[in-house]
Amino acid sequence: MINKKTPPILYVKSGCPWCCDALSYFNAQGVELDVRDVNANPQDMDAMVSISGQTKAPTFVYKDFIVADFSVDEFVNELNEFPHLRQELAIAED
């Protein structure tokens, strides 16, 4: 079965330890991402700033759900406020 939903976007900066942690977390959860390195592409940096209002990564964007400049714990705490998104993204509860 092919899933045609648009994957979440994860804006990252190469070499960023928080970005590496986020990528590891989403990989462990089996979440398919559209990963965009804002250091490699100025248009992605512009898009991230436009969406989140800041220049820090990682920044996660899925529909209207945006979490900017987060640790994995901060992301999970924010996601817990939106159980329907947790279910849509198929992210297991800890």
Side-chain angles (χ1 to χ4, degrees):
M1 182 171 117
I2 297 173
N3 189 346
K4 295 190 183 226
K5 75 176 183 183
T6 303
I9 298 170
L10 184 66
Y11 293 98
V12 298
K13 292 180 179 179
S14 53
C16 163
W18 294 276
C19 298
C20 292
D21 288 348
L23 285 166
S24 294
Y25 171 76
F26 291 119
N27 186 48
Q29 291 290 329
V31 177
E32 196 171 312
L33 297 168
D34 177 355
V35 178
R36 301 183 184 180
D37 186 335
V38 299
N39 287 337
N41 187 330
Q43 289 86 6
D44 286 336
M45 174 64 89
D46 292 345
M48 182 181 76
V49 171
S50 175
I51 291 165
S52 68
Q54 50 80 57
T55 61
K56 296 184 178 162
T59 294
F60 180 92
V61 179
Y62 180 68
K63 299 182 177 179
D64 292 333
F65 181 68
I66 300 165
V67 185
D69 184 25
F70 63 88
S71 69
V72 170
D73 288 343
E74 290 168 332
F75 176 82
V76 170
N77 287 340
E78 189 67 26
L79 185 62
N80 284 338
E81 301 294 318
F82 301 91
H84 66 286
L85 289 178
R86 179 185 280 279
Q87 186 173 16
E88 257 183 65
L89 294 167
I91 294 177
E93 291 195 39
D94 294 337

